[in-house]
Amino acid sequence: MNSLRVKLDALIAQTDLDVSERQREQLVGYVELLNKWNKAYNLTSVRDTSDMLVKHIMDSIVVSPLLVGERFIDVGTGPGLPGIPLAIMNPTKSFVLLDSLGKRIRFIKQVLHELNITNVTPVQSRVEEFDGGEDGFDGVLSRAFASITDMVEWCHHLPRAKTGVFLALKGQLPQDEIEQLPEWCSVIDIKALKVPELEGERHLVILSRKG
């Protein structure tokens, strides 16, 4: 068993997450591909694969138990975060991964091919130009957006009517951003996330349309 797998197993053991053998192999495979492509494509500032397990994999999959619904979109996904780890964890749910940079989408397509992930649709587009279809999404995920305010303004057309939510992964709780939210949007829940071996706070801010 390789050292990355040993490390991943040790991290998962510090959580209540239920992760199958196949899912663990896919998560390690994703980190290996990210590391390989990162040398040429500069997909993440995290260079160490062990750090990737903590800062990218665990930081993403701790959100998995909080996903309610079937259809999700990860906006500004970058190299597929948190979308790919969450898709691996939730093979019966569907994920659209949206990014405006071609090299990131090419990388994601390669990951899907090599790891045989079938519940992800990569899309190269700016979020404000992307039409989410008539139904909309149960959850609009974002990990890298500059602010929650920008996220809800640019993604306002994506959640499913009445039931869809915005899921913003943040570090420290951004009280100033929450105070600047537009009138039509409100915070319905804030979850403090525990990420093994990650320094600093992590929060999931869940928002929805009012009314």
Side-chain angles (χ1 to χ4, degrees):
M1 192 181 288
N2 74 21
S3 59
L4 276 182
R5 175 59 195 273
V6 172
K7 170 84 173 176
L8 178 67
D9 288 348
L11 290 166
I12 290 171
Q14 298 173 57
T15 73
D16 297 328
L17 294 166
D18 184 14
V19 191
S20 71
E21 177 70 21
R22 173 171 162 73
Q23 287 168 329
R24 290 169 193 243
E25 286 175 8
Q26 287 177 314
L27 291 168
V28 168
Y30 171 65
V31 168
E32 289 170 344
L33 284 168
L34 183 56
N35 182 53
K36 181 174 151 188
W37 277 58
N38 202 37
K39 294 178 174 70
Y41 285 84
N42 200 26
L43 298 165
T44 170
S45 59
V46 181
R47 298 290 177 210
D48 181 77
T49 50
S50 184
D51 284 347
M52 286 179 187
L53 286 176
V54 174
K55 294 177 178 176
H56 290 335
I57 300 299
M58 299 307 299
D59 193 51
S60 296
I61 67 174
V62 291
V63 177
S64 186
L66 304 170
L67 297 185
V68 179
E70 300 303 319
R71 192 166 183 252
F72 296 85
I73 182 168
D74 177 12
V75 294
T77 187
L81 296 162
I84 284 177
L86 287 174
I88 288 171
M89 292 290 289
N90 297 274
T92 62
K93 301 182 191 295
S94 69
F95 293 81
V96 171
L97 271 53
L98 192 72
D99 203 274
S100 58
L101 268 188
K103 69 175 183 180
R104 294 172 182 160
I105 296 300
R106 283 195 298 278
F107 168 69
I108 290 167
K109 285 179 176 173
Q110 186 67 24
V111 169
L112 302 179
H113 172 69
E114 291 204 26
L115 301 181
N116 196 22
I117 298 169
T118 57
N119 58 330
V120 170
T121 305
V123 177
Q124 185 180 348
S125 170
R126 294 167 62 87
V127 64
E128 57 270 39
E129 293 163 5
F130 178 72
D131 174 11
E134 289 178 21
D135 292 342
F137 293 90
D138 295 309
V140 179
L141 286 152
S142 173
R143 185 169 177 260
F145 253 75
S147 73
I148 295 177
T149 322
D150 284 347
M151 177 194 178
V152 299
E153 291 280 16
W154 293 346
C155 305
H156 65 89
H157 57 300
L158 296 176
R160 191 184 296 278
K162 295 193 168 57
T163 57
V165 294
F166 299 96
L167 301 161
L169 281 75
K170 305 296 281 187
Q172 286 185 312
L173 197 59
Q175 207 59 53
D176 54 332
E177 294 177 23
I178 290 169
E179 287 165 9
Q180 291 167 12
L181 283 169
E183 280 295 307
W184 56 267
C185 184
S186 60
V187 175
I188 54 173
D189 204 356
I190 296 171
K191 304 276 192 189
L193 302 171
K194 288 193 170 60
V195 183
E197 298 184 26
L198 185 72
E199 289 179 21
E201 298 175 29
R202 295 299 282 162
H203 291 87
L204 179 69
V205 183
I206 306 174
L207 312 100
S208 73
R209 293 177 182 280
K210 292 178 181 173

